[in-house]
Amino acid sequence: MIVVAGEALIDLVPAPVAPERPSPLPPLLPQRGGGPYNVAVALGRLGSPTAFCSRVSTDAFGAALLAGLRDAGVGTELVQRGPEPTTLAVADVGSDGSAGYGFYTEGTADRLFALPPALPDGTTALSVGTCSLVLEPGASAYEALLRREYGNGVFTALDPNIRAGLIADPDAYRRRFLSWLPHVTLLKLSVEDACWLADCRPDGALEDSLAAWLERGPAAIVLTRGGDGLSVRGRGAGRVDVPGTPVEVVDTIGAGDTVNAALLHRLRELGALSHAAVAGLGADVWRDVLGFAARAAALTCSRAGAEPPYASELSD
């Protein structure tokens, strides 16, 4: 089983507006979201046994979030509940389909997550990231979960998915990020997030940072480049690049989360959910894994909101 730990929230995304009915306020549609939540739903749709580990509100939004998990076949036995409101994220979608976010997080349920005493027997992988590793007191609990499960021999995946507006002290966060790397099997991040974490521009200095991060512990680092595709820096394969899958982009909401899920799903299918297995993957296997992730992300980009594909949509 793959356990995904982190926030579940409601994205408020722009709704289509008829030209003949202009409005002084942009109409917004609520959609289920949050990076880890999207990863869990995507894994469930792809067919990987998955459970979600978080704290979810007892309000109507919380009920909708749980229903979405169950519809995708994701287990909810690790979900904690609380009366606090659900976190809201207001999406601003650009003309190229890229999305920026403003967050309403004060006093919300997901940031009050508490460390569970244990994960279920048969847990083979743990995925963490995004806001859940920023907002206290839950951030410390998620961090403790990452360290504990890596020590228990569980495959760990980290997607920082930086939301800079939520990070009050960037330098402190960068130091904390470095402290996680010895407990991470697979690090996945966008080139923009990597540049933010390395405090550099996307040039040779970034390559130096990626090499330094790899030396701290991960078996591989996967870097996403939007429409330009994906690349991996692995201990066994060196650098491998694959192109993006051409698609008419509606928006990019959930694309990175779909990549994260697709990587874990494909590695599970290959029996490679271990540090040694990932470190030993060759270039041809990585091309297969990254190509699968690129196709999955393209499908997500082809429709509005975080709507990851089902396994049947990616069958050969």
Side-chain angles (χ1 to χ4, degrees):
M1 174 184 289
I2 299 173
V3 173
V4 183
E7 77 277 359
L9 52 78
I10 293 295
D11 286 325
L12 299 176
V13 301
V17 179
E20 66 275 12
R21 299 186 64 184
S23 170
L25 293 175
L28 299 173
L29 292 175
Q31 294 187 344
R32 294 171 287 214
Y37 181 89
N38 294 337
V39 172
V41 169
L43 279 165
R45 290 184 177 186
L46 291 173
S48 282
T50 306
F52 189 56
C53 182
S54 184
R55 181 179 172 90
V56 173
S57 177
T58 54
D59 64 14
F61 284 146
L65 288 164
L66 287 182
L69 292 168
R70 295 183 181 120
D71 288 346
V74 177
T76 59
E77 61 273 13
L78 293 171
V79 174
Q80 305 162 20
R81 305 298 302 277
E84 307 82 16
T86 297
T87 294
L88 301 178
V90 180
D92 181 15
V93 178
S95 59
D96 61 351
S98 61
Y101 296 90
F103 292 90
Y104 296 84
T105 64
E106 192 64 34
T108 52
D110 52 27
R111 67 185 300 174
L112 298 179
F113 171 79
L115 178 67
L119 296 185
D121 292 340
T123 297
T124 56
L126 170 69
S127 175
V128 297
T130 318
C131 308
S132 55
L133 287 168
V134 175
L135 300 172
E136 296 289 6
S140 292
Y142 286 113
E143 179 180 325
L145 180 64
L146 171 69
R147 296 175 186 272
R148 185 186 74 189
E149 296 308 316
Y150 182 86
N152 288 338
V154 172
F155 179 105
T156 55
L158 170 65
D159 179 5
N161 202 358
I162 299 299
R163 301 293 183 235
L166 293 176
I167 300 174
D169 188 337
D171 289 337
Y173 183 86
R174 292 181 179 114
R175 291 191 295 270
R176 197 170 187 181
F177 163 74
L178 293 177
S179 77
W180 297 329
L181 295 182
H183 311 280
V184 172
T185 308
L186 177 66
L187 173 64
K188 174 263 167 190
L189 68 176
S190 69
V191 66
E192 295 83 4
D193 289 348
C195 290
W196 188 93
L197 286 163
D199 197 17
C200 69
R201 295 183 178 180
D203 52 18
L206 177 57
E207 291 298 326
D208 292 343
S209 293
L210 294 172
W213 296 344
L214 195 62
E215 286 299 311
R216 284 181 173 265
I221 300 175
V222 172
L223 198 67
T224 64
R225 299 180 179 275
D228 292 331
L230 300 90
S231 62
V232 65
R233 280 78 171 160
R235 294 182 179 273
R239 175 172 175 168
V240 178
D241 298 277
V242 301
T245 299
V247 67
E248 185 173 342
V249 176
V250 175
D251 65 50
T252 62
I253 297 173
D257 306 324
T258 299
V259 168
N260 204 18
L263 293 172
L264 291 169
H265 175 75
R266 199 64 154 182
L267 290 172
R268 185 189 69 84
E269 288 188 321
L270 295 170
L273 287 180
S274 74
H275 197 287
V278 170
L281 292 180
D284 288 343
V285 177
W286 272 118
R287 289 188 189 96
D288 170 80
V289 172
L290 297 179
F292 179 78
R295 296 195 304 275
L299 283 170
T300 300
C301 291
S302 71
R303 43 212 186 194
E307 286 293 338
Y310 291 86
S312 60
E313 298 178 272
L314 290 163
S315 60
D316 295 331

